[in-house]
Amino acid sequence: TKSVVHPGNHAEVFQNGTLLAELAKHIKAAKETIHLEVFVWDKGTVERKFAELFCFKAQQGVKVRLLLD
């Protein structure tokens, strides 16, 4: 794809559903802000758990910004 990883950034490949657990880990660790853009967001158990986690972090004073499609 000719994408470039700029100095100070990194990229990881997630397979077989490991992305969601890793994403939740990083959301739980957030101290100041959470910015997330998701192309596919549906009503379901997984989405509900993430919505609850975002609300919890917002109640802790973390600025949560979501762009969902």
Side-chain angles (χ1 to χ4, degrees):
T1 63
K2 299 182 183 178
S3 296
V4 176
V5 177
H6 297 280
N9 294 330
H10 70 277
E12 295 180 44
V13 176
F14 296 96
Q15 297 179 356
N16 302 322
T18 59
L19 172 65
L20 298 178
E22 190 71 14
L23 180 60
K25 180 178 87 173
H26 286 283
I27 292 169
K28 290 175 185 176
K31 302 288 184 209
E32 296 180 18
T33 60
I34 297 170
H35 296 237
L36 180 67
E37 181 178 346
V38 178
F39 179 67
V40 178
W41 188 270
D42 205 354
K43 293 180 181 178
T45 304
V46 172
E47 292 84 357
R48 165 74 61 187
K49 289 180 182 179
F50 275 97
E52 291 171 357
L53 184 54
F54 293 134
C55 290
F56 177 72
K57 295 305 292 187
Q59 291 170 349
Q60 290 182 329
V62 175
K63 291 181 183 179
V64 178
R65 295 184 176 106
L66 306 172
L67 179 59
L68 308 174
D69 186 13

